[in-house]
Amino acid sequence: MAAIDTAYNYYLSTYANQSVSRYDSHKKSELRNIYNTIVKINKDSPLYKIKHSGDVQKFAIDIKESTRAIKNVVASLSDAEEGIGNAFQKKIAVSSQEDIVSADYIGNNKNSEEMDSFLVEVKAVAASQINLGNFLDKNHLTLKPGSYSFDLENTTSTYEFQFNINADDTNYTTQNKLANLISNADIGLKSSVIEDENGLSALQIESVSTGITPGESFLFSIFPQGTRDSMAAVEALGINHVSQEAQNAVFLLDGIERSSHSNTFTINHAFELTLHGISEEGNPALIGFKTNADAMTENIQTLVDSYNSILHTASKYSNSQHQSVKLYRDMSSTAFAFQNSLESIGLLVSENGEISIDKALLTESVSEENSEEHLSVLNDFKNLLNTKANNASLDPMKYVDKIIVTYKNPGKNLVTPYITSIYSGMMMDRYC
């Protein structure tokens, strides 16, 4: 289990908080095609063993995530069907007060009926419910050893929690025990132990969701079961005390008051807004679009950043994974193939393949009347980069250090359907 824990802990700590793109979802036919391609790759690949160095799993995970980022960027720039330049003219929303409200455009570039701009004044941000317990001496035990229980009710169900206190427990260990019990229950709550300036500790329980539905007075409620000891325990811990009530976000949209359970919501299925703070009264934020030239420059910058990121991944593991040079060569070849054309429009290719942008030259190039001619090379670069990223995503293990055991007999080898991916096998079994 240690090998599994290492892989998943790295993945969760590094990538779990990243936002999910709509391009991460796929049709059944697309998933079937990916599976069939992986099976074909494994059919033709030699039998090998993975060298279980300390970071082989991290390297493979980084390859998968870097290539996923590239494919998502390319997909977002490939929605346009007409004109080479349209691929890089994806609209980008902008807010005049990013610290108060930020905006992302999630609509269709072709929809001419969408509003071009609107005003948002934030009156209140959505808040979660927080129960903060009593601050207790960490090194002492307020409750006597024994078994205790309490009920926790949310908007849909009631749950019973039971816990034991041992003679060697302290208030701190008891609070941590309860924090883990509540968080691991997966009922929409997160719990932790916090300390004050005096070194006392308290159990804090917070709802994952924000906002409150009309007619509801709480998102969750805690009350002891009928025994005298359980009632005393809840009272001593203080976890039934609400320190922050849940509330909805309230804002003015072009002067009309609206509300939302969450601080992130959509407007007309075209804009995704995220509230960060409260506006100065009478000073709304203007939500609109960046100019075409600015939008195109930013879209190109996003593509370049995703390309540079995978080169950084190859460089990061160059000392521990010597086969990472293959990843570097595969990905950097896309820039070197178009180097002269890219540099003529402001994308400068360094000796190590990384791309830097001369924004003045790029802005001038995409603003000219014949910008589509300049952008055609970017379109070709984008498509080749997508092909390279897709190949690396399907078989990331070809870039890690390994020992070849035997090559398969050409033309007479059989499909191995139970080994759909050595990558996924590595995540589950250290002996794959």
Side-chain angles (χ1 to χ4, degrees):
M1 290 297 293
I4 301 174
D5 290 344
T6 299
Y8 280 99
N9 286 341
Y10 178 74
Y11 177 81
L12 291 175
S13 62
T14 309
Y15 297 106
N17 292 329
Q18 291 187 354
S19 60
V20 178
S21 165
R22 63 189 175 100
Y23 302 104
D24 288 314
S25 61
H26 302 280
K27 300 177 182 176
K28 288 183 179 179
S29 58
E30 294 173 328
L31 296 175
R32 189 181 300 111
N33 182 62
I34 292 173
Y35 168 80
N36 290 334
T37 304
I38 291 175
V39 169
K40 183 178 184 302
I41 290 173
N42 288 329
K43 175 185 175 182
D44 297 330
S45 65
L47 178 65
Y48 57 82
K49 291 183 178 180
I50 300 296
K51 293 183 177 180
H52 287 287
S53 62
D55 55 8
V56 60
Q57 294 169 320
K58 295 179 181 179
F59 182 37
I61 291 170
D62 286 348
I63 293 173
K64 289 287 285 189
E65 291 302 310
S66 295
T67 53
R68 181 177 71 90
I70 290 174
K71 293 193 294 179
N72 284 349
V73 170
V74 171
S76 71
L77 299 178
S78 302
D79 286 342
E81 298 177 357
E82 300 177 359
I84 294 173
N86 288 345
F88 296 95
Q89 288 179 344
K90 173 189 170 186
K91 292 179 179 178
I92 296 179
V94 62
S95 167
S96 63
Q97 299 177 27
E98 291 285 344
D99 57 330
I100 301 297
V101 52
S102 57
D104 287 313
Y105 178 69
I106 58 173
N108 186 339
N109 275 22
K110 298 179 181 180
N111 191 345
S112 59
E113 297 181 1
E114 292 175 350
M115 59 178 73
D116 290 329
S117 63
F118 53 92
L119 298 173
V120 175
E121 183 176 343
V122 183
K123 295 294 187 180
V125 294
S128 58
Q129 177 182 330
I130 297 177
N131 281 23
L132 181 59
N134 298 326
F135 283 92
L136 307 174
D137 189 327
K138 293 171 53 178
N139 300 316
H140 288 78
L141 182 59
T142 301
L143 301 174
K144 63 182 181 180
S147 297
Y148 300 88
S149 61
F150 62 88
D151 289 333
L152 191 153
E153 180 182 352
N154 61 19
T155 56
T156 59
S157 304
T158 300
Y159 304 89
E160 179 184 344
F161 287 87
Q162 298 178 346
F163 63 100
N164 295 320
I165 297 179
N166 303 317
D168 58 347
D169 276 328
T170 64
N171 290 327
Y172 186 73
T173 60
T174 300
Q175 290 164 338
N176 269 295
K177 188 184 301 183
L178 283 172
N180 292 330
L181 183 65
I182 294 171
S183 296
N184 294 335
D186 194 23
I187 57 174
L189 300 175
K190 53 186 178 180
S191 185
S192 61
V193 179
I194 62 174
E195 297 182 32
D196 65 7
E197 63 277 5
N198 298 318
L200 304 179
S201 61
L203 181 62
Q204 178 176 281
I205 306 171
E206 182 178 2
S207 62
V208 173
S209 61
T210 57
I212 195 79
T213 300
E216 294 180 346
S217 56
F218 60 86
L219 292 183
F220 67 93
S221 180
I222 295 174
F223 46 92
Q225 294 195 343
T227 67
R228 181 178 299 176
D229 286 346
S230 292
M231 288 188 286
V234 171
E235 185 63 29
L237 292 168
I239 54 177
N240 56 339
H241 300 154
V242 178
S243 60
Q244 174 181 289
E245 295 184 353
Q247 70 174 18
N248 294 332
V250 180
F251 59 97
L252 302 181
L253 180 64
D254 282 338
I256 301 175
E257 184 170 298
R258 304 283 185 90
S259 66
S260 169
H261 289 333
S262 170
N263 287 317
T264 298
F265 49 88
T266 60
I267 299 294
N268 292 346
H269 304 290
F271 293 89
E272 182 178 85
L273 302 186
T274 300
L275 307 184
H276 304 289
I278 299 175
S279 305
E280 293 182 6
E281 187 172 357
N283 183 25
L286 174 64
I287 309 297
F289 291 113
K290 291 191 173 184
T291 64
N292 283 346
D294 288 340
M296 292 177 73
T297 300
E298 185 165 327
N299 287 326
I300 294 168
Q301 180 72 63
T302 302
L303 179 66
V304 167
D305 288 344
S306 68
Y307 162 78
N308 285 338
S309 178
I310 200 165
L311 293 190
H312 294 164
T313 296
S315 176
K316 176 182 176 182
Y317 293 94
S318 59
N319 292 328
S320 60
Q321 295 292 318
H322 301 298
Q323 293 301 312
S324 64
V325 68
K326 291 183 179 180
L327 178 64
Y328 162 77
R329 289 171 181 168
D330 280 355
M331 305 311 298
S332 63
S333 64
T334 58
F336 289 131
F338 301 100
Q339 183 171 0
N340 292 335
S341 299
L342 290 175
E343 292 186 341
S344 69
I345 60 173
L347 274 65
L348 310 179
V349 183
S350 66
E351 292 183 357
N352 65 1
E354 290 187 27
I355 297 176
S356 59
I357 295 181
D358 182 335
K359 291 191 176 181
L361 180 55
L362 177 60
T363 302
E364 181 182 350
S365 299
V366 299
S367 301
E368 295 177 357
E369 292 183 359
N370 57 343
S371 61
E372 285 201 4
E373 180 181 338
H374 294 303
L375 290 171
S376 63
V377 64
L378 271 174
N379 204 50
D380 293 337
F381 169 72
K382 170 178 70 71
N383 293 336
L384 180 58
L385 180 61
N386 187 53
T387 299
K388 297 282 189 179
N390 190 57
N391 291 338
S393 176
L394 289 170
D395 189 14
M397 305 309 292
K398 67 182 177 181
Y399 300 112
V400 305
D401 291 351
K402 50 188 172 288
I403 301 172
I404 301 297
V405 176
T406 183
Y407 289 94
K408 296 178 181 177
N409 191 357
K412 297 183 179 180
N413 49 326
L414 301 175
V415 173
T416 52
Y418 296 105
I419 309 178
T420 56
S421 170
I422 298 297
Y423 170 80
S424 62
M426 175 204 68
M427 296 288 285
M428 297 301 294
D429 183 356
R430 68 178 301 158
Y431 299 106
C432 67

